Amino acid sequence: MTAAPIFLDVDGSDIAVRHSAGSTPGIVWLGGYKSDMLGTKAETLSDWAAREGRAFLRHDYSGHGESGGAFADGTISTWLAQSLAVFRNFARGDQVLVGSSMGAWIALRMVQELRKAGDASVVGMVLLAPAPDFTSELVEPVLTKAQKRDLAKKGYFAEPSDYSAEPYIYTSALIEDGRHNRVMTGPIDTHCPVHILQGLADADVPSSHALRLVSLLPADDITLSLIPDGDHRLSRPQDLDMLVRAVGDMAGRGRGK
């Protein structure tokens, strides 16, 4: 049974955190939009880290999972600030960031902010079905007239979700804030190796998006694994095996002991 979370107050929101101490590089999980830290991929990595005796850190963004706050109040900047606060409070020594979908965007922004602050502890990244800049690159270009009208009149629009009984809510604040957090505007120097896992049957984030991200990352530090029949979730047993191998390999390249 998974232990109860501890809570960290970040700007008035109670952020649920689970942290297991262990060897470094530690693993930091960053989930996707409307996902939580008890999902299949996060739990698989948690079990693997426990077997390896490796540190593992995960949290729920505000409005997600066990954390406080309303989902509709969240923005990339809000969730980034929470992720940085959790990282700075709990992570010790070198770390590998593992970001899924929107979590990959958060991971890329975290590296930028940590480096700006002189923190070089991120020694590797594994990104699954990465969706950096998804608001401006994947949502805005295909907005319908009805969605644009809802954004203007109500400040949000709702879309049915394949992954939840609750619809996805996209607010005008999320979309506007997303423009200020874009990372795919030029070369992205992560200062560490990156391994991307991308399904070619992903209906939510097309493989062309991952290929464009690859083109912006340093060629000598990037590995791209394309999964012919993989969807956006990448949660089948074979996908999870690939994830564990990728994270294990990246951790093995780190400086930790």
Side-chain angles (χ1 to χ4, degrees), residues 148-159:
K148 290 177 181 176
R149 185 172 62 248
D150 283 348
L151 282 171
K153 289 187 174 181
K154 299 193 294 185
Y156 72 92
F157 71 91
E159 281 290 289

Side-chain angles (χ1 to χ4, degrees), residues 54 61 83 85 92 128-129 131 136 141 147 160 162-163 179 186 234:
R54 191 172 294 278
Y61 313 118
S83 301
R92 297 292 179 266
L128 297 85
S136 56
Q147 290 167 339
D162 291 333
Y163 312 107
R179 298 185 192 123
L234 293 179

Side-chain angles (χ1 to χ4, degrees), residues 144-249:
T144 65
K145 287 183 180 178
Q147 290 167 339
K148 290 177 181 176
R149 185 172 62 248
D150 283 348
L151 282 171
K153 289 187 174 181
K154 299 193 294 185
Y156 72 92
F157 71 91
E159 281 290 289
S161 168
D162 291 333
Y163 312 107
S164 168
E166 298 293 321
Y168 276 2
I169 301 294
Y170 297 94
T171 65
S172 52
L174 174 75
I175 291 172
E176 175 64 29
D177 179 77
R179 298 185 192 123
H180 301 298
N181 280 284
R182 293 175 67 194
V183 295
M184 296 176 67
T185 55
I188 304 170
D189 193 351
T190 60
H191 301 274
C192 67
V194 180
H195 190 162
I196 293 174
L197 305 180
Q198 174 67 45
L200 294 180
D202 189 333
D204 297 289
V205 180
S207 56
S208 57
H209 195 69
L211 291 170
R212 185 162 161 244
L213 175 59
V214 167
S215 74
L216 298 173
L217 292 163
D220 59 339
D221 271 347
I222 179 74
T223 302
L224 173 63
S225 296
L226 296 174
I227 305 165
D229 54 350
D231 62 11
H232 189 62
R233 299 180 196 190
L234 293 179
S235 291
R236 301 170 303 170
Q238 60 267 42
D239 301 327
L240 297 172
D241 288 344
M242 183 175 283
L243 168 62
V244 167
R245 285 199 307 273
V247 174
D249 289 346

